[in-house]
Amino acid sequence: MQLDRWHQIKDLFSSALEHPTAERSAFLDRSCGEDIELLAQVRSLLDAHESSLGFIERPAVERAGLAPALEPLNWQGRRLGNYRIISEIGRGGMSHVYKAARDDDQYYKEVAIKLLRPGLDTHSLLQRLRDERQMLAQLSHPNIAQLLDGGVTETGAPYIVMEYVEGQPIDAYCEERGLSITSRLDLVRTLCGAVHYVHQHLMVHGDLKGSNILVTRSGVVKLLDFGIAKLLNAASDPSHTMVNQVVALTPAYASPEQIRGEPITTASDVYSLGVLIYKLLTGTLPFEVPGELFGWEAAAAVGDRPPRLPSVAAAESNAPAYRRIARQLRGDLDAVVMKALSKEPEDRYGSAEHLAEELHRYQRGFPVHAHPPRPLYRTRKLVMRHKAATVAISLFAVAIVTGVVTTAWQAHVARMERARAERHLAEIRKLTNTYLRDVYGAAVNLPGATEVRKLLVENSLKHIAALEGEAQDSLDFKRELAQAYLRFGDVQGDYLGANIGDTEGAVQSYRRALRLREQVAEQSPTVTDLSDLLRSYISLSELLAAQSKLDEAIPLAESANAVGKRLVAMPDARSEDHRMAAAAQMLLGTDLSTVDLPRALATLRSAQETFERLLAEQPEDPGARRDMALIHSRIGFAHIRAEQYEPALEHYLKSSDYAEQLAQEYPADAAALRGAAFVGVNVGEAYNHLKQPDPALEKIQVALSRVEHLQRTDPANEQATLAIAYVLNHLGDSYLLKGQPETALIHLNRALQLVNEAPPAKPTDIAEIRMLPGMTNFRLGKAHSMLGEQHQRDAATFLQSSVMRLQDLTNDPVIGKDAQRLTDQARQLLQDVS
């Protein structure tokens, strides 16, 4: 073929790449006119480009019959900068990859070097290689092939020097070793973590497939080839659309919107992950797209039809190994994979992280979100995990069902025998409350107890809601229902105790309890009913304040304080009523700490006086000592908000004295251990603010051992896991103050792993949970910045992530000041490391 003919083909090919996929056919028809041969050759190049298998597959020019005109230079033995080429390890449609070694006087290291194929040095393709190099420069992750260096050849073409990965494509690796389903899913979950990391840096990979994911001999996953990746225009488009259209893809792994040439999002990578899981579990692809098709033709070949279920594909496989596991794929794994492969992006998992979490739920035997949430399904999953826990739930279910049936019958009888019916209803309510208390209490320390509590709440709330309609004018019934709702709220989201992490559900339960108790107190303003009303005000206000909803929390605290004053003025008020009134003052003072410090401190000191008087009356009462621990902790918190660290430390130490006594006396009491742990962290935080890391470490390390014990007791409790990450953050902060960033990184990396494995923080979560991701990334960035020049890129990555996560919290009424302080420090450090 003549050289000028090749230049014509190359220029037309480059121009076609500048057009969106859907418009290329029309462009080529106009440009080629009657030259059918030219059209076929350019289409062949585009075909190979579209169906590319990464940078180590059969070159597009060979498929077009142009290989003789594009023979690569013989790079073996030649040098690029400080690197000597050893051998070619792969070639792709657009590039060659060589194994090389750095062999200057500094050190020896094997690397991979990626170069554009000769003759393809058009402006657009050169820019794509530069873009890929820039993207890789922003990424530093153990499961992503690392960019090491870069430069230009003697002809001015850019090249990329990357980490040399000696491994197999993930599908071949699994196939050769005959890995179990669990082992394959473990690899995918690791890969999801790397993909989520890419997405956090506002990029999509765009070409996830087996050959771009290598697994080393030691089982380490490495994600390769960002040649298609594009930055997300997150600032201007909240839907995360692409700045530019993707110009290459692998049809068998590409999402429907990607094949159609439409703007793609992170959901497109989730789809490709779904294809990969399908391949690893069945040995085949969900759709076999012919290699000669691309763009709209590939989309038409796939159509709107769904793929076969993975279990069906495995059962019909020619390989006995896949036929043997087909039964295990039915149900949950079928549902998970099909959700990832949904035709519409919004129907897939919201992120790669959510997909990883779903796979983890399957592996641990928990219900998956992709499966229809039928009660029978959830119960079956529970039975499979915990037979002992199932016994408790079964007893509870029997009691509830019996109670509901009997209640319905008695409601019918009540018209004739109202007094007798109410006596029976009281007995049923007593039985129900006993089960709520005893079954829940017995389940707290069972393995998987959090899931037991969650199932208990979900099923019980339905029955309680049904009973509410029977309350009518019965004050006793309303009192019992309110008490039940309050207990449910505690189980759902009492952030000071063990809970299932459903803070919004807890708010709704607390609101129902408050509404019922307001009705009761209006008709029966007795000491008992006012005291119950006060408890409901406190529970709801405290949780709303923890969610930073001070505009609701403070008025409720004011109402609680008013009820408390009314209560203690009554002649038959008890010591417990005085304690609850002081608790209302403590709550109001805490809520005011951010907005009115003088009034907050005055209110808190008034509560302190009451608690001190009650303790003097009953010095051995554990409840009185717990109140003293709480009030000193809240006063310390108020001083922390005002950056008054010495008085804060003084009160935190007093709080710690009381909390430690309780923890020593009640070593099996989870609430006592939890309280002592967090007071210990408070003391450590105050010491850190005063630049005294040694006494801080002493307190925080004890706190860490306690929260780890609580997490081992209830491993499914996500709040306990995040508590560990919270304590590790303060431990890392102490080591940073000591000038020991290497030790700090050990704890902070563990904290980051725990944060990344947990579900993403929600706007309704408590402030500490919403702050945790940004705070962790900030301290990781700070630690790397202290380690010298070779860690500056990692420092910048973590600091940028912290700014992205924290800036949305700077207007928060509770944690906004802290978020702004860390954001300002992160931006200053970014300037220092850039």
Side-chain angles (χ1 to χ4, degrees), residues 39-84:
L39 176 63
Q41 288 170 334
V42 176
R43 286 287 297 271
S44 182
L45 270 179
L46 286 170
D47 172 18
H49 186 65
E50 295 279 353
S51 59
S52 165
L53 296 176
F55 56 75
I56 54 174
E57 78 288 333
R58 185 158 65 104
V61 288
E62 292 179 6
R63 296 187 63 181
L66 301 173
L70 295 173
E71 277 300 317
L73 295 174
N74 182 10
W75 283 97
Q76 188 166 342
R78 300 182 63 178
R79 295 182 67 87
L80 282 176
N82 295 320
Y83 302 93
R84 177 175 50 83

XYZ file of all heavy atoms in Angstrom, residues 39-84:
362
model
N -13.528 3.348 2.657
C -14.509 3.211 3.738
C -14.287 1.917 4.505
O -14.307 1.907 5.743
C -15.925 3.234 3.136
C -17.083 3.002 4.132
C -17.136 4.113 5.164
C -18.406 2.904 3.363
N -14.038 0.819 3.780
C -13.850 -0.474 4.450
C -12.609 -0.475 5.329
O -12.618 -1.028 6.445
C -13.761 -1.585 3.401
N -11.524 0.160 4.820
C -10.281 0.145 5.590
C -10.391 0.998 6.860
O -9.919 0.601 7.936
C -9.124 0.622 4.704
C -8.748 -0.403 3.647
C -7.782 0.162 2.610
O -7.753 1.365 2.385
N -7.011 -0.720 1.971
N -11.039 2.155 6.752
C -11.199 2.990 7.942
C -12.164 2.317 8.925
O -11.925 2.314 10.147
C -11.710 4.391 7.565
C -11.962 5.223 8.822
C -10.704 5.101 6.668
N -13.241 1.727 8.388
C -14.174 1.018 9.265
C -13.478 -0.137 9.971
O -13.755 -0.425 11.137
C -15.361 0.497 8.459
C -16.365 1.560 8.040
C -17.198 2.029 9.224
N -17.990 0.960 9.784
C -19.226 0.650 9.372
N -19.799 1.326 8.390
N -19.890 -0.344 9.952
N -12.566 -0.810 9.271
C -11.834 -1.910 9.890
C -10.957 -1.414 11.030
O -10.865 -2.041 12.084
C -10.977 -2.620 8.834
O -10.302 -3.722 9.401
N -10.318 -0.264 10.810
C -9.526 0.332 11.897
C -10.410 0.686 13.097
O -10.073 0.410 14.260
C -8.817 1.594 11.401
C -7.412 1.435 10.807
C -6.898 2.789 10.344
C -6.460 0.837 11.819
N -11.545 1.322 12.825
C -12.450 1.691 13.906
C -12.991 0.458 14.625
O -13.138 0.441 15.852
C -13.613 2.522 13.359
C -13.281 3.966 12.978
C -14.439 4.584 12.220
C -12.957 4.777 14.220
N -13.287 -0.600 13.830
C -13.776 -1.855 14.395
C -12.768 -2.393 15.404
O -13.102 -2.734 16.542
C -14.006 -2.845 13.254
C -14.332 -4.243 13.754
O -14.713 -4.366 14.938
O -14.213 -5.198 12.968
N -11.515 -2.443 15.006
C -10.475 -2.955 15.902
C -10.306 -2.044 17.104
O -10.086 -2.498 18.230
C -9.153 -3.081 15.153
N -10.420 -0.760 16.839
C -10.297 0.205 17.935
C -11.416 0.017 18.955
O -11.191 0.019 20.161
C -10.342 1.610 17.341
C -10.082 2.701 18.336
N -8.873 2.842 18.979
C -10.873 3.697 18.798
C -8.923 3.889 19.784
N -10.137 4.415 19.698
N -12.656 -0.188 18.469
C -13.810 -0.361 19.345
C -13.720 -1.655 20.136
O -14.086 -1.706 21.308
C -15.103 -0.368 18.531
C -15.409 0.934 17.835
C -16.040 1.926 18.796
O -16.343 1.523 19.923
O -16.232 3.078 18.417
N -13.252 -2.722 19.493
C -13.236 -4.022 20.158
C -11.875 -4.318 20.763
O -11.541 -5.456 21.036
C -13.613 -5.128 19.175
O -12.696 -5.146 18.090
N -11.122 -3.270 21.002
C -9.776 -3.408 21.564
C -9.797 -4.166 22.877
O -10.675 -4.008 23.687
C -9.196 -2.007 21.816
O -8.074 -2.086 22.646
N -8.774 -4.980 23.066
C -8.640 -5.732 24.319
C -7.560 -5.130 25.191
O -6.852 -5.815 25.901
C -8.323 -7.199 24.026
C -9.411 -7.966 23.293
C -8.931 -9.360 22.979
C -10.669 -8.011 24.113
N -7.425 -3.805 25.174
C -6.403 -3.181 26.025
C -5.152 -2.908 25.243
O -5.142 -2.871 24.028
N -4.022 -2.742 25.975
C -2.812 -2.405 25.244
C -1.932 -3.625 25.025
O -0.737 -3.507 24.796
C -2.032 -1.286 25.962
C -1.670 -1.570 27.379
C -0.650 -2.447 27.710
C -2.344 -0.919 28.395
C -0.313 -2.680 29.008
C -2.005 -1.150 29.707
C -0.981 -2.039 30.019
N -2.506 -4.816 25.122
C -1.698 -6.005 24.855
C -2.475 -6.977 23.970
O -2.453 -8.178 24.158
C -1.269 -6.688 26.165
C -2.476 -6.987 27.050
C -0.284 -5.867 26.932
C -2.127 -7.800 28.292
N -3.230 -6.429 22.983
C -4.007 -7.307 22.119
C -3.609 -7.103 20.657
O -2.738 -6.316 20.347
C -5.512 -7.051 22.296
C -6.041 -5.821 21.604
C -5.565 -4.576 22.318
O -5.306 -4.628 23.512
O -5.452 -3.533 21.645
N -4.273 -7.795 19.742
C -3.918 -7.733 18.327
C -4.127 -6.328 17.793
O -5.181 -5.740 17.968
C -4.802 -8.710 17.541
C -4.432 -8.813 16.065
C -4.939 -10.111 15.477
N -6.386 -10.175 15.479
C -7.130 -10.003 14.399
N -6.570 -9.708 13.254
N -8.426 -10.118 14.462
N -3.161 -5.744 17.139
C -3.248 -4.349 16.682
C -4.322 -4.142 15.630
O -4.581 -4.995 14.786
C -1.858 -4.081 16.101
C -0.980 -5.164 16.642
C -1.858 -6.354 16.844
N -4.903 -2.954 15.697
C -5.920 -2.594 14.714
C -5.341 -2.554 13.314
O -6.003 -2.958 12.352
C -6.519 -1.238 15.076
N -4.108 -2.053 13.170
C -3.543 -1.923 11.823
C -3.326 -3.279 11.179
O -3.401 -3.412 9.956
C -2.208 -1.145 11.884
C -2.475 0.314 12.174
C -1.271 -1.734 12.913
N -3.070 -4.309 11.995
C -2.917 -5.631 11.418
C -4.247 -6.123 10.867
O -4.308 -6.744 9.803
C -2.380 -6.597 12.463
C -0.939 -6.303 12.872
C -0.441 -7.268 13.925
O -1.186 -8.222 14.251
O 0.666 -7.068 14.432
N -5.322 -5.826 11.601
C -6.640 -6.245 11.142
C -7.022 -5.522 9.858
O -7.805 -6.006 9.066
C -7.686 -5.982 12.218
C -7.454 -6.798 13.477
C -8.591 -6.635 14.450
N -9.824 -7.139 13.863
C -11.001 -7.115 14.476
N -11.090 -6.611 15.683
N -12.074 -7.588 13.882
N -6.476 -4.325 9.700
C -6.778 -3.566 8.487
C -5.858 -3.937 7.341
O -5.960 -3.383 6.268
C -6.651 -2.073 8.771
N -4.913 -4.869 7.546
C -3.982 -5.261 6.512
C -2.888 -4.262 6.259
O -2.309 -4.224 5.174
N -2.571 -3.410 7.256
C -1.595 -2.347 7.066
C -0.317 -2.582 7.847
O 0.495 -1.689 7.984
C -2.197 -0.998 7.496
C -3.457 -0.599 6.748
C -4.053 0.660 7.377
C -3.145 -0.366 5.285
N -0.113 -3.767 8.407
C 1.036 -4.022 9.274
C 2.373 -3.738 8.598
O 3.254 -3.161 9.211
C 1.005 -5.454 9.789
N 2.591 -4.121 7.341
C 3.902 -3.850 6.736
C 4.266 -2.366 6.726
O 5.422 -2.002 6.855
C 3.758 -4.403 5.321
C 2.692 -5.451 5.439
C 1.722 -4.896 6.440
N 3.257 -1.506 6.579
C 3.555 -0.077 6.553
C 3.792 0.487 7.938
O 4.247 1.605 8.064
C 2.411 0.678 5.873
N 3.468 -0.295 8.978
C 3.541 0.237 10.329
C 4.441 -0.608 11.213
O 4.209 -0.754 12.389
C 2.144 0.309 10.946
C 1.194 1.287 10.272
C -0.194 1.130 10.851
C 1.683 2.705 10.440
N 5.433 -1.247 10.643
C 6.329 -2.049 11.463
C 6.975 -1.181 12.528
O 7.517 -0.113 12.233
C 7.418 -2.683 10.590
C 6.974 -3.957 9.912
C 6.555 -5.018 10.895
O 7.250 -5.204 11.921
O 5.513 -5.643 10.676
N 6.896 -1.597 13.813
C 7.466 -0.782 14.873
C 8.981 -0.759 14.821
O 9.609 -1.649 14.261
C 6.977 -1.494 16.140
C 6.793 -2.916 15.724
C 6.306 -2.852 14.298
N 9.534 0.276 15.403
C 10.979 0.323 15.544
C 11.430 -0.819 16.446
O 10.693 -1.261 17.329
C 11.402 1.656 16.156
C 11.137 2.914 15.315
C 11.482 4.149 16.134
C 11.957 2.879 14.026
N 12.619 -1.282 16.252
C 13.173 -2.317 17.118
C 13.751 -1.639 18.359
O 14.877 -1.151 18.363
C 14.263 -3.106 16.387
C 14.817 -4.222 17.257
O 14.251 -4.518 18.326
N 15.892 -4.840 16.820
N 12.924 -1.596 19.424
C 13.322 -0.891 20.638
C 14.172 -1.749 21.562
O 14.743 -1.232 22.527
C 12.075 -0.429 21.406
C 11.419 0.776 20.803
C 10.362 0.800 19.965
C 11.810 2.136 20.997
N 10.053 2.092 19.612
C 10.925 2.934 20.251
C 12.826 2.766 21.722
C 11.018 4.322 20.209
C 12.922 4.146 21.701
C 12.019 4.904 20.946
N 14.239 -3.043 21.310
C 14.969 -3.919 22.238
C 16.420 -3.483 22.382
O 17.133 -3.291 21.394
C 14.885 -5.367 21.765
C 15.462 -6.365 22.771
C 15.072 -7.794 22.443
O 14.135 -8.013 21.691
N 15.789 -8.744 23.004
N 16.839 -3.285 23.616
C 18.206 -2.857 23.899
C 18.403 -1.353 23.859
O 19.440 -0.852 24.310
N 17.418 -0.608 23.341
C 17.562 0.842 23.275
C 17.137 1.473 24.597
O 16.542 0.830 25.459
C 16.708 1.397 22.125
C 17.106 0.843 20.761
C 16.284 1.449 19.656
N 16.486 2.886 19.540
C 15.906 3.650 18.620
N 15.095 3.096 17.741
N 16.130 4.943 18.576
N 17.398 2.763 24.743
C 17.103 3.455 25.990
C 16.047 4.528 25.762
O 15.994 5.169 24.708
C 18.363 4.109 26.578
C 19.430 3.122 26.994
C 20.619 3.856 27.614
N 20.274 4.474 28.885
C 20.331 3.853 30.062
N 20.732 2.594 30.120
N 20.010 4.476 31.179
N 15.209 4.691 26.768
C 14.299 5.826 26.853
C 14.580 6.472 28.197
O 14.196 5.939 29.242
C 12.844 5.371 26.770
C 12.295 5.013 25.389
C 10.872 4.492 25.505
C 12.329 6.224 24.477
N 15.218 7.605 28.181
C 15.589 8.245 29.436
C 16.512 7.351 30.242
O 17.570 6.909 29.743
N 16.118 7.067 31.479
C 16.921 6.211 32.348
C 16.594 4.731 32.201
O 17.077 3.922 33.001
C 16.709 6.624 33.816
C 17.233 8.017 34.100
O 18.291 8.405 33.599
N 16.494 8.772 34.903
N 15.772 4.385 31.207
C 15.276 3.022 31.107
C 15.815 2.334 29.853
O 15.900 2.926 28.773
C 13.745 3.013 31.093
C 13.162 3.669 32.313
C 12.823 5.027 32.297
C 12.981 2.968 33.493
C 12.302 5.646 33.431
C 12.467 3.577 34.622
C 12.140 4.913 34.595
O 11.637 5.519 35.718
N 16.156 1.064 30.014
C 16.627 0.248 28.901
C 15.547 -0.769 28.560
O 15.058 -1.502 29.420
C 17.923 -0.479 29.293
C 18.456 -1.432 28.214
C 19.797 -2.012 28.632
N 19.748 -2.549 29.973
C 19.295 -3.764 30.282
N 18.835 -4.551 29.307
N 19.304 -4.196 31.526
